[in-house]
Amino acid sequence: SISSLFCSGSRSSKTFKPKKNIPEGSHQYELLKHAEATLGSGNLRMAVMLPEGEDLNEWVAVNTVDFFNQINMLYGTITDFCTEESCPVMSAGPKYEYHWADGTNIKKPIKCSAPKYIDYLMTWVQDQLDDETLFPSKIGVPFPKNFMSVAKTILKRLFRVYAHIYHQHFDPVIQLQEEAHLNTSFKHFIFFVQEFNLIERRELAPLQELIEKLTSKDR
């Protein structure tokens, strides 16, 4: 399973940000275990489907935390290659450049280097995941009405980190022998957002060819 990849000794366990843990014994922890078990079967299309009788918000929440942790790990392995000098702008190839705004602290989008942008982005995601009113960890606490729109924004932004890694840092990924790991993680992410229609197609454009290649085998 993907999580066992993270734990094997050969991998650098360097995360970019602290890992977000789902409390053991909670229902969300059970859901995470279910997700890991179905991932182990190798059928990613099946693995992303909403388990019978489960709440969609909760399923999206658990998987969003999991993707944050995965991307955290993947970016953590290549931070040495993603510097102010190598990546003065946050881009995903020559046609796509991202400027940061979070709507609260930074309202007007600012142009910044990729490491700075990813730092803003991952800190922002972490703040959302830690907000109990948005991502309740206690049983019976309802999800807020705007939960799905927040989750969509988080996933849209996390996608940009994958896009940046693929476009600007694929060589070190190959050198570090992380390619299969990155592809599996990204494929899982794409199947998930496709299953629940969570990211608009135009947002996925920087990796459209790769998405078609990774998903065509599993139609």
PDB file of all heavy atoms in Angstrom, residues 76-112:
ATOM      1  N   GLY A  76       8.688  16.898   0.129  1.00  0.00           N
ATOM      2  CA  GLY A  76       9.798  16.846   1.092  1.00  0.00           C
ATOM      3  C   GLY A  76      11.063  16.207   0.521  1.00  0.00           C
ATOM      4  O   GLY A  76      12.173  16.613   0.856  1.00  0.00           O
ATOM      5  N   THR A  77      10.894  15.241  -0.385  1.00  0.00           N
ATOM      6  CA  THR A  77      12.073  14.560  -0.933  1.00  0.00           C
ATOM      7  C   THR A  77      12.821  15.431  -1.934  1.00  0.00           C
ATOM      8  O   THR A  77      13.991  15.182  -2.199  1.00  0.00           O
ATOM      9  CB  THR A  77      11.696  13.229  -1.639  1.00  0.00           C
ATOM     10  OG1 THR A  77      10.808  13.526  -2.714  1.00  0.00           O
ATOM     11  CG2 THR A  77      11.058  12.244  -0.685  1.00  0.00           C
ATOM     12  N   ILE A  78      12.156  16.440  -2.509  1.00  0.00           N
ATOM     13  CA  ILE A  78      12.833  17.230  -3.553  1.00  0.00           C
ATOM     14  C   ILE A  78      13.030  18.696  -3.166  1.00  0.00           C
ATOM     15  O   ILE A  78      13.405  19.505  -4.005  1.00  0.00           O
ATOM     16  CB  ILE A  78      12.104  17.122  -4.912  1.00  0.00           C
ATOM     17  CG1 ILE A  78      10.640  17.572  -4.825  1.00  0.00           C
ATOM     18  CG2 ILE A  78      12.180  15.718  -5.483  1.00  0.00           C
ATOM     19  CD1 ILE A  78      10.367  18.864  -5.487  1.00  0.00           C
ATOM     20  N   THR A  79      12.818  19.039  -1.906  1.00  0.00           N
ATOM     21  CA  THR A  79      12.959  20.460  -1.508  1.00  0.00           C
ATOM     22  C   THR A  79      14.353  21.002  -1.811  1.00  0.00           C
ATOM     23  O   THR A  79      14.495  22.193  -2.093  1.00  0.00           O
ATOM     24  CB  THR A  79      12.683  20.680  -0.003  1.00  0.00           C
ATOM     25  OG1 THR A  79      13.378  19.682   0.729  1.00  0.00           O
ATOM     26  CG2 THR A  79      11.202  20.620   0.308  1.00  0.00           C
ATOM     27  N   ASP A  80      15.382  20.141  -1.768  1.00  0.00           N
ATOM     28  CA  ASP A  80      16.745  20.617  -2.055  1.00  0.00           C
ATOM     29  C   ASP A  80      16.873  21.125  -3.494  1.00  0.00           C
ATOM     30  O   ASP A  80      17.768  21.906  -3.804  1.00  0.00           O
ATOM     31  CB  ASP A  80      17.771  19.498  -1.839  1.00  0.00           C
ATOM     32  CG  ASP A  80      17.826  19.058  -0.388  1.00  0.00           C
ATOM     33  OD1 ASP A  80      17.244  19.769   0.465  1.00  0.00           O
ATOM     34  OD2 ASP A  80      18.428  18.004  -0.098  1.00  0.00           O
ATOM     35  N   PHE A  81      15.996  20.635  -4.368  1.00  0.00           N
ATOM     36  CA  PHE A  81      16.084  21.007  -5.785  1.00  0.00           C
ATOM     37  C   PHE A  81      15.158  22.163  -6.136  1.00  0.00           C
ATOM     38  O   PHE A  81      15.236  22.716  -7.221  1.00  0.00           O
ATOM     39  CB  PHE A  81      15.720  19.803  -6.672  1.00  0.00           C
ATOM     40  CG  PHE A  81      16.539  18.581  -6.376  1.00  0.00           C
ATOM     41  CD1 PHE A  81      16.078  17.611  -5.494  1.00  0.00           C
ATOM     42  CD2 PHE A  81      17.793  18.420  -6.962  1.00  0.00           C
ATOM     43  CE1 PHE A  81      16.849  16.490  -5.206  1.00  0.00           C
ATOM     44  CE2 PHE A  81      18.566  17.293  -6.669  1.00  0.00           C
ATOM     45  CZ  PHE A  81      18.096  16.331  -5.800  1.00  0.00           C
ATOM     46  N   CYS A  82      14.260  22.485  -5.221  1.00  0.00           N
ATOM     47  CA  CYS A  82      13.272  23.533  -5.494  1.00  0.00           C
ATOM     48  C   CYS A  82      13.664  24.756  -4.679  1.00  0.00           C
ATOM     49  O   CYS A  82      13.327  24.865  -3.504  1.00  0.00           O
ATOM     50  CB  CYS A  82      11.873  23.037  -5.112  1.00  0.00           C
ATOM     51  SG  CYS A  82      10.558  24.180  -5.582  1.00  0.00           S
ATOM     52  N   THR A  83      14.398  25.649  -5.303  1.00  0.00           N
ATOM     53  CA  THR A  83      14.966  26.792  -4.579  1.00  0.00           C
ATOM     54  C   THR A  83      14.543  28.106  -5.243  1.00  0.00           C
ATOM     55  O   THR A  83      13.997  28.111  -6.343  1.00  0.00           O
ATOM     56  CB  THR A  83      16.514  26.725  -4.598  1.00  0.00           C
ATOM     57  OG1 THR A  83      16.942  26.820  -5.982  1.00  0.00           O
ATOM     58  CG2 THR A  83      17.021  25.427  -3.995  1.00  0.00           C
ATOM     59  N   GLU A  84      14.848  29.206  -4.544  1.00  0.00           N
ATOM     60  CA  GLU A  84      14.575  30.544  -5.093  1.00  0.00           C
ATOM     61  C   GLU A  84      15.271  30.698  -6.456  1.00  0.00           C
ATOM     62  O   GLU A  84      14.749  31.336  -7.359  1.00  0.00           O
ATOM     63  CB  GLU A  84      15.110  31.631  -4.143  1.00  0.00           C
ATOM     64  CG  GLU A  84      14.530  31.592  -2.736  1.00  0.00           C
ATOM     65  CD  GLU A  84      13.137  32.188  -2.649  1.00  0.00           C
ATOM     66  OE1 GLU A  84      12.832  33.124  -3.422  1.00  0.00           O
ATOM     67  OE2 GLU A  84      12.339  31.705  -1.816  1.00  0.00           O
ATOM     68  N   GLU A  85      16.464  30.101  -6.580  1.00  0.00           N
ATOM     69  CA  GLU A  85      17.248  30.248  -7.810  1.00  0.00           C
ATOM     70  C   GLU A  85      16.681  29.364  -8.927  1.00  0.00           C
ATOM     71  O   GLU A  85      16.511  29.806 -10.051  1.00  0.00           O
ATOM     72  CB  GLU A  85      18.722  29.854  -7.586  1.00  0.00           C
ATOM     73  CG  GLU A  85      19.506  30.753  -6.642  1.00  0.00           C
ATOM     74  CD  GLU A  85      19.079  30.602  -5.176  1.00  0.00           C
ATOM     75  OE1 GLU A  85      18.905  29.447  -4.712  1.00  0.00           O
ATOM     76  OE2 GLU A  85      18.910  31.652  -4.516  1.00  0.00           O
ATOM     77  N   SER A  86      16.384  28.100  -8.570  1.00  0.00           N
ATOM     78  CA  SER A  86      15.938  27.174  -9.624  1.00  0.00           C
ATOM     79  C   SER A  86      14.503  27.470 -10.060  1.00  0.00           C
ATOM     80  O   SER A  86      14.141  27.255 -11.203  1.00  0.00           O
ATOM     81  CB  SER A  86      16.032  25.725  -9.141  1.00  0.00           C
ATOM     82  OG  SER A  86      15.058  25.455  -8.142  1.00  0.00           O
ATOM     83  N   CYS A  87      13.699  27.961  -9.121  1.00  0.00           N
ATOM     84  CA  CYS A  87      12.271  28.169  -9.405  1.00  0.00           C
ATOM     85  C   CYS A  87      11.810  29.544  -8.937  1.00  0.00           C
ATOM     86  O   CYS A  87      11.067  29.653  -7.959  1.00  0.00           O
ATOM     87  CB  CYS A  87      11.442  27.095  -8.707  1.00  0.00           C
ATOM     88  SG  CYS A  87      11.914  25.406  -9.118  1.00  0.00           S
ATOM     89  N   PRO A  88      12.272  30.607  -9.613  1.00  0.00           N
ATOM     90  CA  PRO A  88      11.903  31.957  -9.161  1.00  0.00           C
ATOM     91  C   PRO A  88      10.411  32.259  -9.264  1.00  0.00           C
ATOM     92  O   PRO A  88       9.918  33.153  -8.594  1.00  0.00           O
ATOM     93  CB  PRO A  88      12.717  32.887 -10.065  1.00  0.00           C
ATOM     94  CG  PRO A  88      13.099  32.053 -11.253  1.00  0.00           C
ATOM     95  CD  PRO A  88      13.185  30.641 -10.779  1.00  0.00           C
ATOM     96  N   VAL A  89       9.698  31.499 -10.112  1.00  0.00           N
ATOM     97  CA  VAL A  89       8.235  31.626 -10.141  1.00  0.00           C
ATOM     98  C   VAL A  89       7.622  30.253  -9.922  1.00  0.00           C
ATOM     99  O   VAL A  89       8.243  29.231 -10.193  1.00  0.00           O
ATOM    100  CB  VAL A  89       7.683  32.213 -11.475  1.00  0.00           C
ATOM    101  CG1 VAL A  89       8.129  33.640 -11.687  1.00  0.00           C
ATOM    102  CG2 VAL A  89       8.057  31.337 -12.654  1.00  0.00           C
ATOM    103  N   MET A  90       6.381  30.241  -9.431  1.00  0.00           N
ATOM    104  CA  MET A  90       5.666  28.981  -9.242  1.00  0.00           C
ATOM    105  C   MET A  90       5.007  28.623 -10.569  1.00  0.00           C
ATOM    106  O   MET A  90       4.067  29.291 -11.004  1.00  0.00           O
ATOM    107  CB  MET A  90       4.604  29.136  -8.147  1.00  0.00           C
ATOM    108  CG  MET A  90       3.698  27.933  -7.985  1.00  0.00           C
ATOM    109  SD  MET A  90       4.584  26.428  -7.454  1.00  0.00           S
ATOM    110  CE  MET A  90       3.191  25.284  -7.345  1.00  0.00           C
ATOM    111  N   SER A  91       5.552  27.584 -11.216  1.00  0.00           N
ATOM    112  CA  SER A  91       5.022  27.258 -12.533  1.00  0.00           C
ATOM    113  C   SER A  91       4.810  25.761 -12.678  1.00  0.00           C
ATOM    114  O   SER A  91       5.297  24.955 -11.887  1.00  0.00           O
ATOM    115  CB  SER A  91       6.009  27.734 -13.604  1.00  0.00           C
ATOM    116  OG  SER A  91       7.216  27.002 -13.452  1.00  0.00           O
ATOM    117  N   ALA A  92       4.054  25.447 -13.741  1.00  0.00           N
ATOM    118  CA  ALA A  92       3.872  24.051 -14.143  1.00  0.00           C
ATOM    119  C   ALA A  92       4.081  24.044 -15.648  1.00  0.00           C
ATOM    120  O   ALA A  92       3.136  24.015 -16.430  1.00  0.00           O
ATOM    121  CB  ALA A  92       2.480  23.568 -13.766  1.00  0.00           C
ATOM    122  N   GLY A  93       5.348  24.150 -16.044  1.00  0.00           N
ATOM    123  CA  GLY A  93       5.676  24.282 -17.464  1.00  0.00           C
ATOM    124  C   GLY A  93       5.573  25.734 -17.902  1.00  0.00           C
ATOM    125  O   GLY A  93       5.128  26.594 -17.138  1.00  0.00           O
ATOM    126  N   PRO A  94       5.981  26.022 -19.137  1.00  0.00           N
ATOM    127  CA  PRO A  94       6.044  27.423 -19.590  1.00  0.00           C
ATOM    128  C   PRO A  94       4.686  28.136 -19.671  1.00  0.00           C
ATOM    129  O   PRO A  94       4.613  29.348 -19.553  1.00  0.00           O
ATOM    130  CB  PRO A  94       6.689  27.318 -20.973  1.00  0.00           C
ATOM    131  CG  PRO A  94       6.547  25.889 -21.391  1.00  0.00           C
ATOM    132  CD  PRO A  94       6.491  25.077 -20.146  1.00  0.00           C
ATOM    133  N   LYS A  95       3.603  27.362 -19.847  1.00  0.00           N
ATOM    134  CA  LYS A  95       2.294  28.011 -20.069  1.00  0.00           C
ATOM    135  C   LYS A  95       1.533  28.319 -18.780  1.00  0.00           C
ATOM    136  O   LYS A  95       0.555  29.042 -18.796  1.00  0.00           O
ATOM    137  CB  LYS A  95       1.402  27.117 -20.948  1.00  0.00           C
ATOM    138  CG  LYS A  95       1.929  26.932 -22.351  1.00  0.00           C
ATOM    139  CD  LYS A  95       0.787  26.749 -23.368  1.00  0.00           C
ATOM    140  CE  LYS A  95      -0.065  25.521 -23.100  1.00  0.00           C
ATOM    141  NZ  LYS A  95       0.239  24.399 -24.014  1.00  0.00           N
ATOM    142  N   TYR A  96       1.960  27.731 -17.656  1.00  0.00           N
ATOM    143  CA  TYR A  96       1.163  27.871 -16.426  1.00  0.00           C
ATOM    144  C   TYR A  96       1.997  28.443 -15.296  1.00  0.00           C
ATOM    145  O   TYR A  96       2.997  27.854 -14.901  1.00  0.00           O
ATOM    146  CB  TYR A  96       0.556  26.528 -16.016  1.00  0.00           C
ATOM    147  CG  TYR A  96      -0.331  25.960 -17.083  1.00  0.00           C
ATOM    148  CD1 TYR A  96       0.146  25.032 -17.998  1.00  0.00           C
ATOM    149  CD2 TYR A  96      -1.659  26.403 -17.215  1.00  0.00           C
ATOM    150  CE1 TYR A  96      -0.660  24.540 -19.021  1.00  0.00           C
ATOM    151  CE2 TYR A  96      -2.477  25.919 -18.220  1.00  0.00           C
ATOM    152  CZ  TYR A  96      -1.968  24.986 -19.122  1.00  0.00           C
ATOM    153  OH  TYR A  96      -2.771  24.509 -20.127  1.00  0.00           O
ATOM    154  N   GLU A  97       1.548  29.598 -14.815  1.00  0.00           N
ATOM    155  CA  GLU A  97       2.226  30.229 -13.683  1.00  0.00           C
ATOM    156  C   GLU A  97       1.174  30.541 -12.627  1.00  0.00           C
ATOM    157  O   GLU A  97       0.072  30.977 -12.956  1.00  0.00           O
ATOM    158  CB  GLU A  97       2.895  31.516 -14.168  1.00  0.00           C
ATOM    159  CG  GLU A  97       3.766  32.171 -13.133  1.00  0.00           C
ATOM    160  CD  GLU A  97       4.460  33.419 -13.693  1.00  0.00           C
ATOM    161  OE1 GLU A  97       5.170  33.330 -14.715  1.00  0.00           O
ATOM    162  OE2 GLU A  97       4.272  34.488 -13.094  1.00  0.00           O
ATOM    163  N   TYR A  98       1.519  30.286 -11.367  1.00  0.00           N
ATOM    164  CA  TYR A  98       0.554  30.504 -10.288  1.00  0.00           C
ATOM    165  C   TYR A  98       1.011  31.646  -9.391  1.00  0.00           C
ATOM    166  O   TYR A  98       2.191  31.734  -9.046  1.00  0.00           O
ATOM    167  CB  TYR A  98       0.419  29.230  -9.438  1.00  0.00           C
ATOM    168  CG  TYR A  98      -0.082  28.031 -10.212  1.00  0.00           C
ATOM    169  CD1 TYR A  98       0.747  26.930 -10.438  1.00  0.00           C
ATOM    170  CD2 TYR A  98      -1.382  27.986 -10.716  1.00  0.00           C
ATOM    171  CE1 TYR A  98       0.289  25.822 -11.146  1.00  0.00           C
ATOM    172  CE2 TYR A  98      -1.848  26.883 -11.417  1.00  0.00           C
ATOM    173  CZ  TYR A  98      -1.007  25.798 -11.635  1.00  0.00           C
ATOM    174  OH  TYR A  98      -1.454  24.709 -12.334  1.00  0.00           O
ATOM    175  N   HIS A  99       0.059  32.488  -9.013  1.00  0.00           N
ATOM    176  CA  HIS A  99       0.331  33.569  -8.059  1.00  0.00           C
ATOM    177  C   HIS A  99      -0.484  33.287  -6.811  1.00  0.00           C
ATOM    178  O   HIS A  99      -1.613  32.809  -6.902  1.00  0.00           O
ATOM    179  CB  HIS A  99      -0.047  34.925  -8.662  1.00  0.00           C
ATOM    180  CG  HIS A  99       0.749  35.260  -9.887  1.00  0.00           C
ATOM    181  ND1 HIS A  99       0.501  36.356 -10.669  1.00  0.00           N
ATOM    182  CD2 HIS A  99       1.803  34.620 -10.467  1.00  0.00           C
ATOM    183  CE1 HIS A  99       1.372  36.395 -11.672  1.00  0.00           C
ATOM    184  NE2 HIS A  99       2.166  35.336 -11.576  1.00  0.00           N
ATOM    185  N   TRP A 100       0.078  33.570  -5.644  1.00  0.00           N
ATOM    186  CA  TRP A 100      -0.579  33.166  -4.393  1.00  0.00           C
ATOM    187  C   TRP A 100      -1.528  34.214  -3.837  1.00  0.00           C
ATOM    188  O   TRP A 100      -1.224  35.396  -3.746  1.00  0.00           O
ATOM    189  CB  TRP A 100       0.454  32.840  -3.306  1.00  0.00           C
ATOM    190  CG  TRP A 100      -0.237  32.458  -2.028  1.00  0.00           C
ATOM    191  CD1 TRP A 100      -0.340  33.206  -0.892  1.00  0.00           C
ATOM    192  CD2 TRP A 100      -0.997  31.264  -1.800  1.00  0.00           C
ATOM    193  NE1 TRP A 100      -1.107  32.533   0.038  1.00  0.00           N
ATOM    194  CE2 TRP A 100      -1.523  31.346  -0.493  1.00  0.00           C
ATOM    195  CE3 TRP A 100      -1.285  30.129  -2.578  1.00  0.00           C
ATOM    196  CZ2 TRP A 100      -2.316  30.343   0.054  1.00  0.00           C
ATOM    197  CZ3 TRP A 100      -2.072  29.127  -2.036  1.00  0.00           C
ATOM    198  CH2 TRP A 100      -2.572  29.241  -0.728  1.00  0.00           C
ATOM    199  N   ALA A 101      -2.705  33.753  -3.431  1.00  0.00           N
ATOM    200  CA  ALA A 101      -3.629  34.557  -2.629  1.00  0.00           C
ATOM    201  C   ALA A 101      -4.457  33.582  -1.814  1.00  0.00           C
ATOM    202  O   ALA A 101      -4.797  32.504  -2.303  1.00  0.00           O
ATOM    203  CB  ALA A 101      -4.537  35.389  -3.516  1.00  0.00           C
ATOM    204  N   ASP A 102      -4.742  33.923  -0.567  1.00  0.00           N
ATOM    205  CA  ASP A 102      -5.575  33.010   0.234  1.00  0.00           C
ATOM    206  C   ASP A 102      -6.917  33.647   0.590  1.00  0.00           C
ATOM    207  O   ASP A 102      -7.743  33.045   1.269  1.00  0.00           O
ATOM    208  CB  ASP A 102      -4.846  32.558   1.501  1.00  0.00           C
ATOM    209  CG  ASP A 102      -4.448  33.727   2.391  1.00  0.00           C
ATOM    210  OD1 ASP A 102      -4.958  34.854   2.175  1.00  0.00           O
ATOM    211  OD2 ASP A 102      -3.629  33.529   3.295  1.00  0.00           O
ATOM    212  N   GLY A 103      -7.120  34.877   0.123  1.00  0.00           N
ATOM    213  CA  GLY A 103      -8.410  35.529   0.351  1.00  0.00           C
ATOM    214  C   GLY A 103      -8.552  36.178   1.717  1.00  0.00           C
ATOM    215  O   GLY A 103      -9.468  36.964   1.925  1.00  0.00           O
ATOM    216  N   THR A 104      -7.655  35.849   2.650  1.00  0.00           N
ATOM    217  CA  THR A 104      -7.750  36.495   3.975  1.00  0.00           C
ATOM    218  C   THR A 104      -6.511  37.329   4.263  1.00  0.00           C
ATOM    219  O   THR A 104      -6.581  38.557   4.317  1.00  0.00           O
ATOM    220  CB  THR A 104      -7.953  35.455   5.103  1.00  0.00           C
ATOM    221  OG1 THR A 104      -7.085  34.353   4.881  1.00  0.00           O
ATOM    222  CG2 THR A 104      -9.382  34.943   5.138  1.00  0.00           C
ATOM    223  N   ASN A 105      -5.354  36.654   4.409  1.00  0.00           N
ATOM    224  CA  ASN A 105      -4.124  37.416   4.685  1.00  0.00           C
ATOM    225  C   ASN A 105      -3.597  38.097   3.431  1.00  0.00           C
ATOM    226  O   ASN A 105      -3.108  39.206   3.467  1.00  0.00           O
ATOM    227  CB  ASN A 105      -3.034  36.500   5.252  1.00  0.00           C
ATOM    228  CG  ASN A 105      -3.477  35.836   6.536  1.00  0.00           C
ATOM    229  OD1 ASN A 105      -4.206  36.439   7.313  1.00  0.00           O
ATOM    230  ND2 ASN A 105      -3.078  34.590   6.747  1.00  0.00           N
ATOM    231  N   ILE A 106      -3.653  37.368   2.320  1.00  0.00           N
ATOM    232  CA  ILE A 106      -3.167  37.915   1.053  1.00  0.00           C
ATOM    233  C   ILE A 106      -4.334  37.899   0.074  1.00  0.00           C
ATOM    234  O   ILE A 106      -4.710  36.857  -0.465  1.00  0.00           O
ATOM    235  CB  ILE A 106      -1.973  37.086   0.515  1.00  0.00           C
ATOM    236  CG1 ILE A 106      -0.825  37.113   1.535  1.00  0.00           C
ATOM    237  CG2 ILE A 106      -1.504  37.621  -0.837  1.00  0.00           C
ATOM    238  CD1 ILE A 106       0.323  36.186   1.217  1.00  0.00           C
ATOM    239  N   LYS A 107      -4.909  39.084  -0.135  1.00  0.00           N
ATOM    240  CA  LYS A 107      -6.115  39.150  -0.967  1.00  0.00           C
ATOM    241  C   LYS A 107      -5.781  39.317  -2.453  1.00  0.00           C
ATOM    242  O   LYS A 107      -6.439  38.781  -3.316  1.00  0.00           O
ATOM    243  CB  LYS A 107      -7.018  40.299  -0.493  1.00  0.00           C
ATOM    244  CG  LYS A 107      -7.642  40.022   0.879  1.00  0.00           C
ATOM    245  CD  LYS A 107      -8.708  41.042   1.222  1.00  0.00           C
ATOM    246  CE  LYS A 107      -9.550  40.625   2.421  1.00  0.00           C
ATOM    247  NZ  LYS A 107      -8.799  40.584   3.682  1.00  0.00           N
ATOM    248  N   LYS A 108      -4.733  40.087  -2.713  1.00  0.00           N
ATOM    249  CA  LYS A 108      -4.354  40.327  -4.104  1.00  0.00           C
ATOM    250  C   LYS A 108      -3.247  39.338  -4.454  1.00  0.00           C
ATOM    251  O   LYS A 108      -2.248  39.265  -3.749  1.00  0.00           O
ATOM    252  CB  LYS A 108      -3.836  41.769  -4.218  1.00  0.00           C
ATOM    253  CG  LYS A 108      -3.749  42.301  -5.622  1.00  0.00           C
ATOM    254  CD  LYS A 108      -3.566  43.828  -5.591  1.00  0.00           C
ATOM    255  CE  LYS A 108      -3.454  44.405  -6.995  1.00  0.00           C
ATOM    256  NZ  LYS A 108      -2.129  44.231  -7.606  1.00  0.00           N
ATOM    257  N   PRO A 109      -3.434  38.534  -5.517  1.00  0.00           N
ATOM    258  CA  PRO A 109      -2.434  37.503  -5.809  1.00  0.00           C
ATOM    259  C   PRO A 109      -1.025  38.064  -5.962  1.00  0.00           C
ATOM    260  O   PRO A 109      -0.825  39.087  -6.629  1.00  0.00           O
ATOM    261  CB  PRO A 109      -2.930  36.903  -7.135  1.00  0.00           C
ATOM    262  CG  PRO A 109      -4.390  37.187  -7.158  1.00  0.00           C
ATOM    263  CD  PRO A 109      -4.561  38.508  -6.465  1.00  0.00           C
ATOM    264  N   ILE A 110      -0.069  37.412  -5.316  1.00  0.00           N
ATOM    265  CA  ILE A 110       1.320  37.860  -5.399  1.00  0.00           C
ATOM    266  C   ILE A 110       2.150  36.841  -6.169  1.00  0.00           C
ATOM    267  O   ILE A 110       1.919  35.633  -6.096  1.00  0.00           O
ATOM    268  CB  ILE A 110       1.948  38.075  -3.990  1.00  0.00           C
ATOM    269  CG1 ILE A 110       1.834  36.796  -3.126  1.00  0.00           C
ATOM    270  CG2 ILE A 110       1.332  39.264  -3.293  1.00  0.00           C
ATOM    271  CD1 ILE A 110       2.656  36.829  -1.852  1.00  0.00           C
ATOM    272  N   LYS A 111       3.095  37.375  -6.917  1.00  0.00           N
ATOM    273  CA  LYS A 111       4.006  36.526  -7.682  1.00  0.00           C
ATOM    274  C   LYS A 111       5.129  36.150  -6.721  1.00  0.00           C
ATOM    275  O   LYS A 111       5.717  37.021  -6.084  1.00  0.00           O
ATOM    276  CB  LYS A 111       4.552  37.362  -8.838  1.00  0.00           C
ATOM    277  CG  LYS A 111       5.253  36.578  -9.906  1.00  0.00           C
ATOM    278  CD  LYS A 111       5.513  37.505 -11.093  1.00  0.00           C
ATOM    279  CE  LYS A 111       6.289  36.779 -12.162  1.00  0.00           C
ATOM    280  NZ  LYS A 111       6.273  37.482 -13.442  1.00  0.00           N
ATOM    281  N   CYS A 112       5.397  34.858  -6.574  1.00  0.00           N
ATOM    282  CA  CYS A 112       6.501  34.480  -5.683  1.00  0.00           C
ATOM    283  C   CYS A 112       7.167  33.208  -6.195  1.00  0.00           C
ATOM    284  O   CYS A 112       6.647  32.536  -7.086  1.00  0.00           O
ATOM    285  CB  CYS A 112       6.036  34.318  -4.239  1.00  0.00           C
ATOM    286  SG  CYS A 112       4.643  33.223  -4.026  1.00  0.00           S
TER     287      CYS A 112
END
